[in-house]
Amino acid sequence: MKNFLTMVRGLPFAMKVLLASTAARSLSFFAILAYMPIYLYDTVGMSGATVGYVIGGSVLVGTMASVYGGYLADRVTKINLVILLDLAIILLYLSLTVMHDPFTVTAVLLLTNIASSSMGVAGSALLSDLVPPENRTKVFSLRYSLQNIGAAVGPFLGVAAVAVGSGGPFILSVTVIGASLLPLVMFRSRFLSTGKGAPAPAAAEEQSAEEQAEEETPTFRQVLKVMGADRRLTYFTIGGILSIVVYGPLLTFMSQYLVLVEDRDTAYRLVAYISAANAVAVIGAQYALGSRLKPDNLLKWLTVGIGAFVIGLFAMSLSTNAAIIVIAVVVFSLGEVIVVPAEFTFIDSIAPEKLRGSYFGAQNLIHVGIALGPILCGFLLQHFAPAAMFYVLIAVVVVSLWFYVIGCRATATVSEPAQAKAKAQAKVKVKAVSET
């Protein structure tokens, strides 16, 4: 804890403000997420099935669109993009207090999720700009802790805000985001790039104007080709999708499982225990474990994290005793504590300076796994013995480790001659264009 507080006190002012705004957005998002099904059903008049399609579909669209959001973060000033996205989210939330037409509300939710997902990507890229490489893993872990605190507190505040009126949670979220946006605007100059990623003066002088222009303005299609050719990014994204299938929808698939093997009251009680145990474990252990991650020891820690998932899932399959379930969830949560910052650290370590936002946007695609998890578990619970769900999830997360391993090995085999060859090819292309 002492090291944690020392690190927080030593952060630059801009970083403290950015982390506080991250916590505020997390709180506002989860305050609305808990209320959204009720709002769509009671106020908008959607059916139960439609509510699921709208919420799931909007999250999926937002996740896919965040790839372009990452590209935008590389093309414009990141703090300006963050401010604009915050303003967009505020206006969209406010519109939901007066708009109740199902089609209009669906469109607003799509735009809100696109803005929210792009915000997460832009925030990650801005964080990398503001923090020296040796401290980024620690700050990623701190940010994830703050996001989980927001996730734990947000639903309770959202429920309390409903007492104010049907639009109470939206007003709460607008207020929280607006308060966190104010210092971003007031101290905007503090968030501008410090030049950490800029080339050294001597190197910059050696570059021709054509080379700099070519490097600074790749098209979205060109960026997609670069990322698609990067096996490291591909393998880690696939591994991330598979692992988040397991840890992302923990409460959902445990609810699906418990209502089949226990009576309803016991199932509800156990889900509450699981939620509390997961939140306490993630918040309590995130910095202590996450800060130990470094680019050169990621594979070792990822193996430990996947092992925690395996042990936790196996223990959950053995009994529904409350004590066993809680212990299993705590062990399971340690895997989440390790894997999430490890993925951010890896992507940050392989992303080119001028494509950092785009790489984080591609990595954000792992959230597709959150939608796949409940579908997979629902199928397994319907057609096989309930415990089979855990064994399949164990197999899925072990396969994710395999993709992490080959991703790390691909990183180790990327040779400097290969990088030099790629750079030389780019220069030839620029020269050819200039000569014509």
Side-chain angles (χ1 to χ4, degrees), residues 75-103:
R75 306 274 71 76
V76 302
T77 304
K78 294 180 180 65
I79 185 60
N80 291 345
L81 180 60
V82 167
I83 291 172
L84 287 174
L85 290 172
D86 265 341
L87 289 172
I89 292 172
I90 287 174
L91 293 175
L92 290 167
Y93 280 160
L94 284 175
S95 71
L96 291 175
T97 63
V98 295
M99 294 179 180
H100 300 142
D101 174 71
F103 292 103

Side-chain angles (χ1 to χ4, degrees), residues 405-430:
V405 169
I406 59 176
C408 287
R409 288 178 177 174
T411 301
T413 59
V414 175
S415 63
E416 291 183 4
Q419 295 177 6
K421 181 180 178 180
K423 187 174 181 180
Q425 289 175 342
K427 289 184 176 181
V428 170
K429 179 180 178 182
V430 173

Side-chain angles (χ1 to χ4, degrees), residues 211-342:
E211 286 175 317
Q212 293 182 20
E214 179 71 14
E215 289 180 0
E216 293 174 0
T217 57
T219 66
F220 183 53
R221 179 176 295 181
Q222 290 172 331
V223 171
L224 289 179
K225 287 183 178 179
V226 170
M227 294 191 297
D230 193 332
R231 293 179 301 152
R232 305 165 301 174
L233 177 63
T234 301
Y235 293 146
F236 248 72
T237 301
I238 295 174
I241 291 173
L242 293 175
S243 64
I244 207 171
V245 163
V246 175
Y247 72 81
L250 170 65
L251 289 181
T252 302
F253 72 70
M254 285 304 294
S255 298
Q256 292 172 292
Y257 168 75
L258 290 170
V259 295
L260 287 180
V261 299
E262 293 288 349
D263 62 84
R264 192 168 298 273
D265 290 340
T266 301
Y268 288 159
R269 176 170 54 85
L270 290 174
V271 168
Y273 291 159
I274 291 169
S275 177
N278 177 250
V280 170
V282 170
I283 295 171
Q286 182 62 63
Y287 182 78
L289 292 180
S291 62
R292 298 176 183 273
L293 300 173
K294 297 178 182 179
D296 59 355
N297 67 6
L298 283 184
L299 187 55
K300 179 185 73 174
W301 278 105
L302 281 168
T303 303
V304 173
I306 298 301
F309 284 143
V310 171
I311 294 172
L313 288 168
F314 182 72
M316 289 180 210
S317 72
L318 297 178
S319 173
T320 56
N321 176 272
I324 294 177
I325 287 288
V326 168
I327 293 172
V329 168
V330 169
V331 174
F332 179 93
S333 300
L334 296 180
E336 179 182 349
V337 164
I338 293 169
V339 168
V340 172

